[in-house]
Amino acid sequence: MNPIRVIVVDDSSFMRKMVKEILESDSRIEVIATARNGEEGLNKIGNLHPDVVTMDLNMPIMDGFTALEILMEKQPLPVVMLASVSEEDKDRTIEAMSKGAVDFIQKPSGSISLNIETIKEIIISKIINASKIRFCTNKNEWNQKNSLKTIHKKKIHAKTVVVIGSSTGGPRALHQFFTDLPSNMNAPIFVVQHMPAGFTKSLANRLNRITTKMEVKEAEDGEIVKNNTAYIAPGGYHLTVKGTSSQLRVKLTSDKPRNNHRPCVDVLFESVAELNVNKIAIILTGMGNDGSHGIKYMKQNDANTTVIAESEETAVVYGMPKSAISTNFVDYIEPISNIGNRVADVLSQCNK
C-alpha cells in the first residue's frame, strides 16, 4: 500500500520539523515537502500533488486562509488546518472549515508549541482520516440525483423540532444548510457538531452571521427553547432537550462520552424521542455511526418522525449518513443543497 503523501505548510521551522517528524514516525505517512508560507505551499502542491496538506493559519506573504481559498477553487484536496488557542484563531479556523478545510489540529500552546509531541497520536489520526476523504464539486450533478418521492407526514403535535448531527466536514455542510433555510420556520433547531470546547461558540457565531432567518447560538443549560432559534451543543457537553411541548428547556450534561464523543448525536436524538412533538432528524457528513441508534429510537417511539440523510455525492465523509441509511429508518437521502428545501417541505406538512 502506498504511503499517504503530505505537504506541511508552516512559517515556523520548528513546527515544520516537528510535524514532519511526528507524521513520518508512522510508516503509513510520507512528508514529501514542507513550505514556509501559503504561496510557496501552493506552488509545491501544484507540482507534487499530495494526498493531504497541513496548513498553518498565520503566515507571512500569504496566510493559510488565503491559500486554502485558492486551493479549494483550483485543486480541491483534504486540508487540515493548524490553529492556536487564541479566540481569533478559533473564529478563523471555523471560517476555514466552512470554506473547505476538512479538519483542524489545535496547537497545545500558542503558535509555536514546544509540546506538540503531546498530541502526536491526534495529528497522525487526523491525517490518516483526511486521506480517505474525496471531494465532489459538481453541484449540477448533486441536484440531479436522489430525487425521492414525497412522503406525506401527518400533523400529530402542535410543535415541531429539528435535530441535526454532523462531524467531519460538518461546518461547511451546516453553512450550506443554514443559508438555504426558509424564513419563519416556526420551529427550533438543535445541532450536535463533533468539535472540542471553545470552537463551538465560534461555529455558532459564524452561522449566526450568515443567516438572517433565525438566531444561531451556543446552547446554555436551562434556557427556554424558542422557535426560529438554533442551539449548537457546546464542546465538552451533551445537549438534551427536556420539558413539554408548551415549554421546552435545554439541558446540558457532562456525562461520560458516548461513541467517543461529547457532545454525542445519539444523546440528543434520544432525548428528543421522548418529547410529544413532531420531529425532523438530519444526519450530515461525518465519520463513524453516531446518530444511527438515535434515529432508530426516535422512529420506534414515533413512526411519524422524519429522517433525512446527506447523500454520498456531497458528504465529505459518508460514514454517518451511510450508517443511518443502513438502519432502513431514513425517509429521504438528499444532497446538501436540497436538505434545506426538504426541511421546508416537511415543515409545511406539519404546519397544515
Side-chain angles (χ1 to χ4, degrees):
M1 187 162 122
N2 295 327
I4 300 162
R5 302 166 71 253
V6 180
I7 291 181
V8 175
V9 186
D10 200 299
D11 64 320
S12 162
S13 59
F14 172 79
M15 290 299 294
R16 291 196 302 274
K17 177 177 181 292
M18 289 303 298
V19 173
K20 183 176 187 294
E21 288 180 358
I22 286 170
L23 293 178
E24 291 196 327
S25 70
D26 191 295
S27 61
R28 293 169 291 181
I29 302 172
E30 176 189 3
V31 176
I32 59 173
T34 63
R36 295 167 293 179
N37 56 64
E39 185 178 274
E40 183 180 338
L42 289 175
N43 289 333
K44 292 188 176 183
I45 291 165
N47 291 328
L48 298 174
H49 307 289
D51 301 310
V52 181
V53 174
T54 71
M55 185 83 71
D56 189 29
L57 267 176
N58 301 308
M59 297 180 288
I61 303 177
M62 182 186 289
D63 65 16
F65 186 81
T66 303
L68 172 72
E69 287 191 301
I70 295 170
L71 186 61
M72 288 299 108
E73 181 68 28
K74 294 184 175 180
Q75 186 183 342
L77 55 80
V79 176
V80 178
M81 306 302 294
L82 270 75
S84 73
V85 294
S86 71
E87 289 303 317
E88 182 181 1
D89 260 19
K90 289 176 182 177
D91 290 343
R92 298 200 74 198
T93 298
I94 296 303
E95 189 173 1
M97 294 182 73
S98 298
K99 297 290 185 180
V102 299
D103 209 339
F104 67 93
I105 297 164
Q106 186 176 3
K107 297 177 183 177
S109 55
S111 58
I112 300 177
S113 290
L114 299 177
N115 59 341
I116 194 166
E117 184 77 20
T118 60
I119 59 169
K120 173 180 175 179
E121 296 306 319
I122 293 174
I123 294 173
I124 290 171
S125 67
K126 285 180 180 283
I127 297 307
I128 291 172
N129 288 338
S131 72
K132 301 172 184 175
I133 292 169
R134 51 84 188 127
F135 286 84
C136 174
T137 56
N138 187 345
K139 292 190 177 183
N140 290 327
E141 182 181 344
W142 297 357
N143 290 321
Q144 292 167 2
K145 293 187 176 183
N146 297 299
S147 178
L148 302 185
K149 65 181 180 179
T150 298
I151 300 169
H152 294 286
K153 297 287 181 176
K154 299 176 183 177
K155 179 180 177 180
I156 297 178
H157 306 288
K159 191 175 185 65
T160 303
V161 301
V162 179
V163 289
I164 302 174
S166 57
S167 189
T168 307
R172 189 179 191 182
L174 290 168
H175 185 285
Q176 175 83 54
F177 174 78
F178 279 98
T179 301
D180 294 341
L181 274 181
S183 58
N184 192 28
M185 281 186 50
N186 200 32
I189 299 177
F190 303 94
V191 180
V192 166
Q193 163 67 43
H194 295 157
M195 192 170 278
F199 287 87
T200 45
K201 187 172 181 61
S202 294
L203 174 64
N205 290 342
R206 173 161 179 77
L207 293 174
N208 191 52
R209 287 194 297 270
I210 60 100
T211 179
T212 58
K213 298 165 184 175
M214 64 178 356
E215 179 186 5
V216 185
K217 66 188 297 293
E218 190 177 51
E220 300 174 61
D221 186 45
E223 66 180 312
I224 296 173
V225 172
K226 300 176 183 176
N227 284 342
N228 297 312
T229 303
Y231 301 88
I232 309 294
Y237 291 90
H238 292 306
L239 169 62
T240 63
V241 187
K242 305 294 183 183
T244 63
S245 59
S246 61
Q247 187 176 88
L248 299 175
R249 286 185 181 270
V250 169
K251 176 66 176 175
L252 302 179
T253 75
S254 55
D255 294 344
K256 66 181 182 179
R258 280 189 47 194
N259 306 324
N260 295 316
H261 296 293
R262 190 176 61 203
C264 169
V265 180
D266 279 335
V267 172
L268 169 62
F269 284 14
E270 288 165 14
S271 75
V272 171
E274 304 290 343
L275 303 176
N276 291 319
V277 297
N278 304 309
K279 307 167 188 77
I280 303 172
I282 303 169
I283 297 287
L284 300 178
T285 173
M287 211 160 281
N289 62 1
D290 195 15
S292 292
H293 184 272
I295 63 173
K296 284 183 188 177
Y297 192 71
M298 292 176 82
K299 280 282 196 178
Q300 288 165 355
N301 275 265
D302 182 359
N304 202 54
T305 298
T306 300
V307 180
I308 304 169
E310 184 177 357
S311 67
E312 185 175 8
E313 285 75 20
T314 64
V316 172
V317 180
Y318 193 46
M320 282 169 55
K322 182 179 181 180
S323 180
I325 292 164
S326 71
T327 67
N328 294 319
F329 285 119
V330 170
D331 298 302
Y332 303 104
I333 304 168
E334 298 282 4
I336 188 62
S337 55
N338 287 355
I339 291 179
N341 290 332
R342 180 60 76 186
V343 169
D345 289 344
V346 177
L347 280 170
S348 68
Q349 295 177 45
C350 291
N351 291 334
K352 287 179 181 178

